[in-house]
Amino acid sequence: MSREESVRLARAPIELREAEGISECELARRTWLSEATFRTFEGDRGDLPTPIVARSFEGVLGWAPGSIKATPSEAMGRESSADSAIDLE
């Protein structure tokens, strides 16, 4: 992920929360992701999200599908998530 993409992904949920006056907890509830997931990306650690997390972010942010670069699911062996709330297996 480029530095520009990383910064964009870090700022987007913060800006959305501020614009809507909602907490990390509320944003997490809307996406079925954990607050820890949002803290990870808002903290701009430069990590690529899993495909599931990327699609959830795109949905809540109103971004086009595929606009957030994600980890290749083939390299992971399965499409798992660091966020157990959405782990489909």
Side-chain angles (χ1 to χ4, degrees):
M1 175 182 307
S2 74
R3 180 70 185 138
E4 182 178 302
E5 290 170 322
S6 180
V7 168
R8 179 177 175 241
L9 183 56
R11 287 295 313 153
I14 295 168
E15 291 170 357
L16 176 68
R17 287 189 302 101
E18 289 173 352
E20 295 195 14
I22 60 173
S23 66
E24 272 183 351
C25 182
E26 175 59 19
L27 187 55
R29 188 193 64 75
R30 290 182 185 186
T31 60
W32 294 74
L33 299 173
S34 70
E35 290 176 65
T37 297
F38 281 98
R39 279 192 295 274
T40 295
F41 290 98
E42 288 180 3
D44 189 20
R45 297 180 189 147
D47 299 333
L48 286 175
T50 64
I52 292 170
V53 171
R55 301 306 78 90
S56 293
F57 274 33
E58 290 164 350
V60 76
L61 296 170
W63 294 0
S67 62
I68 297 175
K69 187 176 180 180
T71 56
S73 56
E74 309 82 52
M76 296 172 61
R78 59 181 264 241
E79 193 171 34
S80 64
S81 171
D83 192 307
S84 61
I86 62 168
D87 198 350
L88 299 177
E89 290 190 8

